[in-house]
Amino acid sequence: MKARLRASLDVAGPLIGLVVVVVLFAALAPDRFVSAYNLKTVATQTVIVGLGAIGMTYVMISGGIDLSVGSVIALVSVVTALLLREGYGEGVALLGGLATGALVGAVNGLVVTRLSIVPFIVTLGTMGVARGVAKYLANEQTVRADAGWLGALMTKTPDPAWLLLAKGVWITLILAAVMTLVLRRTVLGVHTFAVGSNEATARLCGVPVERVKLIVYVLAGLFAGIAGVMQYGRLTVGDPTTAMGLELDVIAAVVIGGGSLSGGRGSITGALLGAFFMSVLANGCTLTGVPTYVQEILVGTIIVAAVGLDRLRRR
Amino acid sequence: MDPLLTMQGVEKRFGAVTALAGIDLSIGRGEVHALVGENGAGKSTLMKVLSGAHAPDAGAMTFDGAAYAPRGPADALARGIAMVYQELNLAPDLTVAQNLLLGRETSRLGWLQSAPDRARVDRVLAVLDHPDVVADRRVADLGPGARQLVEIGRALVGDAKLVVLDEPTSSLSAAESETLYEVIRRLESRGVAIVYISHFLEEVKRIASRFTVLRDGRTVATGDVATTTIEQIVEAMVGRSLDETYPTRASIEPGEVILELDALRSDPLPRSASLSLRRGEVLGIAGLVGAGRTELLRAVFGLAKVRDGSVSVAGVQDRGRGVRARIAQGLGLVAEDRKVEGLALDRSIAENLTLSNAAPFVRFGWLDPKARDASTRRWVEELGIKSRAPDQAAGELSGGNQQKIAIARLLHQDADVLLLDEPTRGIDVGSKVEVYRLIGELRAKGKAVLVVSSYLPELLGVCDRIAVMHRGRLGEARPVDAWTEVELLDEATRGAA
């Protein structure tokens, strides 16, 4: 009972924050902020960070971190665009993009487990490498190609219209639901929590610690890959300079959602709420004419405040 | 001449537990005074009182001719009492000189003054007089013996009048120990008093001039080393054993051999361990802290690499396997330190209890939490674990109940060979009795139990046979009736005759 209560409290923090900013902006800019169109915009803006946050939640629960997310998104957008330009179908381009993301994740996981280098350093390295490879493949330019149905994934007004929100939003929500179930209801999920909570105990109990870590980084890469394809769909060009520094937004979303850098804690629902919260804040600030720098100060303060409040509550 | 340090009737309680029940101690100036006693006799609590980490509940202390009631470790240090703990407190990336001066650097407006500091360091290095202990050498490049000297050097920089050495030679080689003895002699001749805590009584005999024996938190003997034999000291240490309830061991015929070790070696410990364990048998391993008992269990269980020798489980011989393979073979380990390794404290009771064996609750890849909770409830009830619900965090329970979860994990995984490392450390007497009862029941069910403990009465109470480990080598396992506490302690401190 207590644990369930605590789990719901983990989500309560970002939820309350979300309600507060929504009410605030609704009062400040009722006509522009509270509209179906604006909701669609904010939801669509959340997709990229949200998808990255799903994978990042797994990595952070296991006690790791993945700094390569932004670069992987850029690389995947380039790879997807190149495949389309070479005349392959959307399906092949999509699979190629996902495979690229998973591959970078596998490299991260293998170096972390085989060479026992701390994940911060490993993924700092792949962050640079993936960005460089993306620029090389794209010849340091944006890659133009006909997006076909991939371009329709991130259209704010979807076809068919009864979907109401962009297809990418629904895909994110469905994947989030599936990955929450995997986290809570499979042995992999239990093992991920165990490794992040106390690696020595996990080893003692025969948990395949290395395999769990590898899987978790592959998942993070895969979700960055999905985010990369969505990014391509949104821009309809492959851009090697896109999503610069996005990994920090993703980490912020997970942390606001109750995740811990020291592992063992976190939830996908919380991370998505965190991502949505930041989108709403950005959107509201833009609509009410608050300058970007105020927004940056706000987000920075909120990240620290969220963790600080969490600390107080746990005492 | 009046003594440097006196203690009279010092008492210390932690909640309901009395750690010190009346300590009298008198240490003269420039004297090497050995403090001996079994594990749990109160030596470390006494040292914490002396160093100002704990305030005593009763009793009086004087130091250097004045009343002594330190407000904290810094205060004790300022008065001239320095501690050298077993686990060294050095910064490995700094040089010897930097470590010696750490926190006591001479500075003017924040800028280091190298000339006076250099002189202080040189003075200390001259006393230590060791070829490796050089001012500009990084501590990480030093061996354990040299590091120990740097630690002692830190006390000298502060002009300590009394230096406490806690088991200084437990991790040193024979040659390194000799160097340490020389340094102690030099300090003695310079009038620095030394409290020397050690389990090695031969060593005590060699370097100490006086000794004090603690037992159950009291001073039970004190005297001159020269006129006392080792046997007399051991008898004072053991005394009369406490009345404790151990299960009556029904005589059962042990079954087939299920675990056999042949000259097992791991790095750095154990050096060599051979034993054979049958079903329905409880085998105890006695020995001093640091003798290599924990390392032996870890090597058997696959948590440490087997360097040499072999392990046979149910007749299948190998040269070391991983943890998963060992669990599959029916082995289970309860780790020495619950907080560090035994449990994931912020995860639930159910997760902790079933972590090594989740298979019964998995259907088509999906976990059934209801089945897991039901199974957890069954174990919680059977072992009398006081808790609210299976999803309560393990860290919220008392030490005894946490330990029962760690043991329940092995029961749930239905291990045939249970490796228990200090299974009753840090738990209350009631829980201890229950752990003993549980070990008795496992034995009756035909399980094999290998138990490491530093508490000798416990080993004598629950084991069928006991072997002693001394400096990495496991002695011969003898039936429990063939041992007395004195003999166990003697072999643990001196090795097999």
Side-chain angles (χ1 to χ4, degrees):
Chain A
M1 230 12 245
K2 181 99 189 281
R4 211 157 294 152
L5 189 72
R6 192 185 315 155
S8 57
L9 268 176
D10 273 347
V11 178
L15 196 59
I16 292 166
L18 190 60
V19 170
V20 169
V21 287
V22 166
V23 169
L24 185 73
F25 288 122
L28 290 174
D31 45 337
R32 278 165 298 164
F33 185 76
V34 191
S35 71
Y37 182 76
N38 194 42
L39 177 66
K40 289 178 189 200
T41 307
V42 179
T44 311
Q45 279 167 351
T46 311
V47 166
I48 310 289
V49 171
L51 284 168
I54 296 175
M56 187 70 82
T57 303
Y58 272 79
V59 171
M60 284 177 63
I61 288 173
S62 80
I65 193 140
D66 185 356
L67 298 177
S68 65
V69 174
S71 298
V72 171
I73 289 174
L75 176 62
V76 169
S77 83
V78 168
V79 168
T80 309
L82 283 173
L83 287 170
L84 288 169
R85 198 175 70 183
E86 295 301 313
Y88 292 100
E90 294 96 324
V92 176
L94 170 70
L95 286 180
L98 300 188
T100 305
L103 182 71
V104 179
V107 170
N108 283 336
L110 284 172
V111 177
V112 166
T113 53
R114 293 287 160 84
L115 303 182
S116 343
I117 302 176
V118 290
F120 187 97
I121 300 299
V122 173
T123 58
L124 187 66
T126 45
M127 172 175 118
V129 172
R131 179 72 65 183
V133 171
K135 287 179 181 169
Y136 163 73
L137 290 177
N139 215 359
E140 299 199 58
Q141 292 162 4
T142 53
V143 181
R144 293 186 184 285
D146 182 14
W149 56 260
L150 289 179
L153 288 174
M154 294 287 276
T155 318
K156 279 176 216 163
T157 43
D159 178 34
W162 55 262
L163 278 176
L164 297 173
L165 297 170
K167 285 177 190 149
V169 175
W170 293 113
I171 291 171
T172 306
L173 290 175
I174 290 165
L175 287 175
V178 172
M179 294 314 284
T180 297
L181 271 179
V182 170
L183 195 55
R184 303 277 166 198
R185 288 289 177 88
T186 65
V187 173
L188 173 68
V190 172
H191 284 183
T192 305
F193 273 107
V195 168
S197 177
N198 190 339
E199 194 172 320
T201 306
R203 267 180 220 286
L204 182 81
C205 291
V207 171
V209 174
E210 272 67 36
R211 198 192 310 163
V212 170
K213 286 187 180 173
L214 179 61
I215 291 173
V216 152
Y217 283 99
V218 170
L219 275 178
L222 181 64
F223 273 89
I226 302 172
V229 172
M230 294 290 178
Q231 182 75 331
Y232 167 73
R234 200 171 75 151
L235 305 171
T236 65
V237 292
D239 182 357
T241 61
T242 190
M244 202 75 92
L246 188 100
E247 56 279 347
L248 298 182
D249 291 341
V250 172
I251 293 167
V254 176
V255 168
I256 292 174
S260 160
L261 280 177
S262 50
R265 299 206 292 116
S267 82
I268 288 169
T269 320
L272 281 193
L273 284 172
F276 192 58
F277 169 78
M278 288 196 293
S279 298
V280 170
L281 197 67
N283 170 267
C285 285
T286 314
L287 289 182
T288 50
V290 176
T292 337
Y293 61 82
V294 175
Q295 197 184 315
E296 285 168 349
I297 293 172
L298 271 178
V299 171
T301 313
I302 285 163
I303 292 170
V304 178
V307 178
L309 284 175
D310 192 54
R311 267 288 157 85
L312 284 180
R313 211 187 64 212
R314 267 160 208 288
R315 242 180 231 156
Chain B
M1 201 160 62
D2 62 320
L4 177 66
L5 173 84
T6 65
M7 285 188 173
Q8 270 176 351
V10 168
E11 293 177 23
K12 180 70 195 173
R13 280 178 296 278
F14 297 101
V17 182
T18 304
L20 299 180
I23 299 284
D24 298 319
L25 185 64
S26 169
I27 292 167
R29 292 172 198 274
E31 158 182 305
V32 178
H33 193 111
L35 192 65
V36 296
E38 284 199 86
N39 296 311
K43 294 181 307 251
S44 27
T45 311
L46 177 59
M47 289 309 109
K48 281 182 177 150
V49 167
L50 186 58
S51 70
H54 292 324
D57 295 320
M61 298 191 281
T62 68
F63 181 71
D64 207 7
Y68 175 67
R71 287 184 301 276
D75 196 26
L77 200 60
R79 289 287 297 271
I81 296 183
M83 298 280 158
V84 178
Y85 288 107
Q86 235 168 318
E87 65 282 7
L88 301 175
N89 296 304
L90 298 172
D93 292 314
L94 301 187
T95 64
V96 168
Q98 284 169 329
N99 268 287
L100 287 177
L101 295 166
L102 201 59
R104 290 178 291 221
E105 299 88 350
T106 315
S107 67
R108 185 174 296 161
L109 301 174
W111 296 92
L112 289 174
Q113 303 295 301
S114 52
D117 274 351
R118 192 81 208 184
R120 286 160 79 199
V121 168
D122 286 345
R123 210 164 47 232
V124 169
L125 292 182
V127 179
L128 298 178
D129 189 28
H130 186 281
D132 288 345
V133 183
V134 179
D136 295 326
R137 180 87 60 102
R138 270 173 80 232
V139 163
D141 300 333
L142 301 179
R147 289 187 197 200
Q148 183 79 253
L149 294 185
V150 174
E151 188 82 30
I152 293 171
R154 278 178 56 78
L156 300 181
V157 170
D159 286 324
K161 298 187 182 78
L162 177 72
V163 177
V164 179
L165 301 178
D166 186 8
E167 297 276 352
T169 59
S170 61
S171 55
L172 301 189
S173 69
E176 287 171 325
S177 300
E178 289 301 326
T179 315
L180 180 74
Y181 300 153
E182 277 172 41
V183 171
I184 289 174
R185 291 258 171 270
R186 252 173 267 149
L187 292 179
E188 194 181 4
S189 66
R190 294 170 139 260
V192 177
I194 292 181
V195 173
Y196 196 91
I197 301 177
S198 178
H199 278 295
F200 300 112
L201 298 178
E202 308 268 270
E203 183 176 277
V204 165
K205 199 79 178 127
R206 267 192 62 187
I207 66 159
S209 50
R210 300 206 322 127
F211 72 93
T212 294
V213 180
L214 302 190
R215 189 175 72 232
D216 301 330
R218 289 172 204 281
T219 301
V220 292
T222 187
D224 288 329
V225 171
T227 58
T228 314
T229 65
I230 287 183
E231 284 68 27
Q232 285 169 323
I233 298 179
V234 168
E235 264 164 41
M237 284 165 72
V238 175
R240 230 190 46 74
S241 71
L242 287 164
D243 241 8
E244 215 132 3
T245 25
Y246 297 104
T248 45
R249 268 173 295 129
S251 66
I252 47 172
E253 200 58 38
E256 76 270 24
V257 172
I258 190 158
L259 178 70
E260 202 161 9
L261 309 182
D262 185 25
L264 189 73
R265 184 172 72 83
S266 183
D267 239 3
L269 291 169
R271 290 189 233 277
S272 173
S274 305
L275 63 80
S276 130
L277 180 63
R278 294 173 176 275
R279 283 180 173 278
E281 193 182 36
V282 180
L283 176 59
I285 300 182
L288 302 177
V289 173
R293 299 169 302 167
T294 295
E295 291 83 349
L296 170 64
L297 295 192
R298 297 181 75 81
V300 170
F301 194 56
L303 282 165
K305 253 208 165 73
V306 172
R307 294 288 173 194
D308 216 345
S310 68
V311 178
S312 309
V313 180
V316 183
Q317 195 181 37
D318 61 66
R319 307 198 144 267
R321 292 187 183 185
V323 174
R324 288 171 75 75
R326 290 298 185 217
I327 290 177
Q329 283 183 313
L331 268 65
L333 174 75
V334 170
E336 181 182 18
D337 194 321
R338 283 189 301 278
K339 291 186 171 59
V340 173
E341 184 166 29
L343 297 178
L345 291 177
D346 50 1
R347 303 310 300 167
S348 71
I349 295 172
E351 271 176 54
N352 271 292
L353 210 155
T354 62
L355 189 55
S356 59
N357 180 24
F361 320 117
V362 178
R363 208 166 293 161
F364 308 114
W366 295 95
L367 202 65
D368 179 356
K370 283 212 181 77
R372 188 174 69 175
D373 285 357
S375 181
T376 304
R377 277 200 196 90
R378 211 169 54 239
W379 290 117
V380 164
E381 200 166 315
E382 194 164 326
L383 270 64
I385 298 170
K386 288 184 192 69
S387 64
R388 281 197 310 274
D391 61 3
Q392 188 181 3
E396 294 175 13
L397 305 185
S398 73
N401 286 308
Q402 286 180 10
Q403 191 68 345
K404 285 190 208 164
I405 294 175
I407 297 175
R409 183 192 288 150
L410 305 198
L411 302 182
H412 168 68
Q413 109 200 10
D414 200 21
D416 289 322
V417 181
L418 293 91
L419 312 171
L420 309 180
D421 197 354
E422 301 283 1
T424 64
R425 171 175 293 176
I427 66 178
D428 59 288
V429 178
S431 299
K432 277 186 187 177
V433 173
E434 284 176 65
V435 170
Y436 300 147
R437 183 180 54 81
L438 209 56
I439 292 175
E441 284 173 12
L442 288 166
R443 175 177 174 271
K445 279 188 198 145
K447 306 286 188 186
V449 183
L450 190 58
V451 51
V452 162
S453 174
S454 295
Y455 188 50
L456 298 177
E458 167 177 298
L459 286 180
L460 291 166
V462 300
C463 295
D464 297 298
R465 290 185 299 146
I466 302 177
V468 176
M469 187 164 254
H470 175 74
R471 300 208 163 184
R473 293 183 191 282
L474 189 65
E476 188 199 342
R478 283 183 247 161
V480 69
D481 307 327
W483 288 106
T484 64
E485 218 177 318
V486 174
E487 287 166 336
L488 282 172
L489 195 60
D490 195 53
E491 187 169 331
T493 49
R494 287 203 284 191

